[in-house]
Amino acid sequence: MTLSNLCSQITTTENLLLPQDHKLGPRLVCPEYSKLSQEVKTYPLPPSERIFALCWNIDTPSTSEAEHTPPSLRATLCPAPEHFCYQLHFTSGSKTQLHTHDYIELAYVVEGEFRQRILGRDIVFSKGELCLVDKNCLHQDYLLEKPATVLFLGIANDIFTEIMDETIATQKIISFLQSALLKQKDLQQYLHFRPGSDFAAAEELEQCLCLLLNELYHGSIGFHYICKGLLLRIFRIISTKYDFSLSKELRKTMNWIVFEEIQDYIKHHYATVTIQELVREFHFQEDYFNRIIKSKTGLTYSDYVQQLRLEQAEHMLISSTRSVEEITELVGYRNKGYFYKIFKEKYGTTPSRYRKKG
């Protein structure tokens, strides 16, 4: 079963439809009642349930029914003691009440488009995109007359911290995400994730979300452990294989963090590193590495690697008794003549004479 089919199935249970005035309704979708008020949505489940799913399925009437039937949104929340579905009829273009959460929210667009107003800015999320919203971030959702399915995951702060601590991606990038979303209390923040050209990653993500929703909905024995494992996989995929947007200030911070991560990797693998290896390790396009290294060092990728190799060769010449031929190979060069040429260009003399001077 696909994620879209599962969302449709769990939000169209007619015999478990809640009354329109049910007290749970505003918890699932709360239409705007004041332009001045701001709600703080608290975590809706007991502490033992550290992940929950809220599924929205927006349906529009057929052309013949449109005049008499307004669009509707069907929603359900799980895990729950009993399965249920809530239906809200709305006017196209209306919004939910402006709110924040005291937990982390990850929204995934299963079908159609989803429009939110976040920090006063309208943002449209397309099918396959995600939005990770900080618990301090003011936002509201648009209710539009277009078919759409959106899956929201509510993640308790303690399990989010545990997931970040699993080092599911490069450590410094995860540290950035954690500090952006949990530690900077005065900063309202969200991250917009978009799938790149790796279609297999997008398919894997949707499969994980489908399995997670299925576990949360049915609540079979052991589902808590399974859900945490699936959430680990989900964050691994979006943090390593998806592009994500940041505010201008945080983008500067992120660029430095990524550069430091790349720099550390190159320093540990300077003799054999290739730009294709960096692409596989960090999941950025080739030209990104040239741009970020140039912006931080003034050197191209090739010049930067060459500089590290020559500096290491210089250190070996002075501090070891290895032959020049051995050092040439150890720092990553197979052509002795080329090594002599670039060494002389940098240091003004041959390696052998440099060693004697040293």
Side-chain angles (χ1 to χ4, degrees):
M1 180 179 290
T2 66
L3 179 58
S4 179
N5 289 340
L6 179 58
C7 290
S8 178
Q9 177 181 303
I10 66 176
T11 55
T12 53
T13 313
E14 293 291 349
N15 60 330
L16 297 175
L17 200 62
L18 296 178
Q20 287 287 309
D21 58 351
H22 196 281
K23 63 180 181 180
L24 189 56
R27 172 75 251 195
L28 303 172
V29 51
C30 182
E32 185 178 54
Y33 56 81
S34 170
K35 295 189 179 297
L36 302 176
S37 299
Q38 299 174 6
E39 282 191 346
V40 178
K41 290 187 179 293
T42 57
Y43 197 78
L45 299 179
S48 59
E49 306 292 351
R50 301 192 296 168
I51 309 168
F52 73 86
L54 169 63
C55 186
W56 279 9
N57 200 358
I58 298 173
D59 192 22
T60 57
S62 62
T63 306
S64 59
E65 298 173 330
E67 185 177 346
H68 307 289
T69 309
S72 66
L73 183 155
R74 289 186 176 231
T76 192
L77 182 76
C78 54
E82 293 183 9
H83 297 161
F84 66 89
C85 179
Y86 176 75
Q87 184 174 34
L88 173 75
H89 292 286
F90 62 87
T91 303
S92 183
S94 58
K95 298 189 288 286
T96 60
Q97 184 58 35
L98 188 65
H99 64 280
T100 62
H101 311 120
D102 67 356
Y103 53 89
I104 303 297
E105 181 183 77
L106 180 65
Y108 176 76
V109 183
V110 183
E111 296 289 349
E113 289 185 342
F114 179 50
R115 183 177 170 191
Q116 287 186 307
R117 189 166 183 80
I118 308 179
L119 304 178
R121 179 184 169 203
D122 285 355
I123 302 171
V124 177
F125 299 94
S126 300
K127 178 179 177 179
E129 296 182 355
L130 305 99
C131 183
L132 189 62
V133 179
D134 189 0
K135 59 185 180 181
N136 303 310
C137 188
L138 275 170
H139 63 289
Q140 56 191 153
D141 314 304
Y142 281 89
L143 304 176
L144 302 174
E145 193 175 4
K146 292 180 180 179
T149 305
V150 185
L151 177 64
F152 302 92
L153 296 179
I155 306 166
N157 300 321
D158 60 342
I159 194 170
F160 184 79
T161 301
E162 287 177 22
I163 287 169
M164 294 297 104
D165 289 343
E166 291 280 350
T167 59
I168 51 173
T170 48
Q171 187 172 357
K172 290 181 181 177
I173 293 175
I174 284 299
S175 297
F176 168 79
L177 292 175
Q178 186 179 27
S179 63
L181 293 167
L182 287 178
K183 295 181 180 177
Q184 299 186 41
K185 307 299 183 187
D186 58 340
L187 181 64
Q188 297 187 6
Q189 179 61 25
Y190 68 94
L191 301 175
H192 182 175
F193 290 89
R194 298 179 180 86
S197 57
D198 189 344
F199 298 109
E203 185 176 336
E204 183 186 2
L205 176 69
E206 185 143 321
Q207 288 174 350
C208 288
L209 288 167
C210 188
L211 290 170
L212 177 62
L213 179 58
N214 190 64
E215 290 291 336
L216 289 169
Y217 186 70
H218 290 104
S220 302
I221 188 167
F223 82 98
H224 295 99
Y225 301 101
I226 297 172
C227 288
K228 182 181 176 182
L230 288 167
L231 203 58
L232 278 167
R233 292 183 193 175
I234 288 164
F235 274 97
R236 170 68 178 178
I237 295 166
I238 65 175
S239 62
T240 60
K241 298 182 179 180
Y242 273 57
D243 302 322
F244 58 95
S245 303
L246 305 167
S247 66
K248 185 177 180 181
E249 294 75 14
L250 285 176
R251 193 178 299 114
K252 291 178 182 177
T253 304
M254 186 65 180
N255 282 339
W256 269 111
I257 290 172
V258 173
F259 171 70
E260 288 175 357
E261 194 79 15
I262 293 168
Q263 185 182 50
D264 287 348
Y265 187 88
I266 293 174
K267 284 182 177 179
H268 283 91
H269 303 85
Y270 66 89
T272 59
V273 68
T274 65
I275 202 161
Q276 291 76 23
E277 184 180 340
L278 293 178
V279 170
R280 290 192 299 271
E281 182 70 19
F282 294 96
H283 309 284
F284 294 112
Q285 299 294 326
E286 285 190 18
D287 61 343
Y288 176 81
F289 298 99
N290 267 313
R291 290 200 311 271
I292 196 167
I293 291 172
K294 183 79 172 179
S295 69
K296 305 303 180 188
T297 68
L299 301 172
T300 65
Y301 161 78
S302 298
D303 289 341
Y304 180 66
V305 172
Q306 179 175 290
Q307 176 177 283
L308 291 177
R309 289 176 173 177
L310 290 175
E311 288 173 353
Q312 190 63 25
E314 178 200 17
H315 174 71
M316 289 183 188
L317 285 167
I318 295 172
S319 62
S320 77
T321 57
R322 291 187 174 99
S323 68
V324 175
E325 289 76 9
E326 187 179 1
I327 290 172
T328 301
E329 290 192 7
L330 285 172
V331 299
Y333 293 106
R334 299 292 176 264
N335 187 321
K336 182 180 174 182
Y338 178 71
F339 173 71
Y340 268 68
K341 175 178 177 293
I342 60 174
F343 189 93
K344 189 172 183 179
E345 286 175 354
K346 181 173 177 62
Y347 295 103
T349 187
T350 65
S352 300
R353 288 175 182 170
Y354 190 89
R355 168 174 271 172
K356 289 178 182 178
K357 288 181 181 181

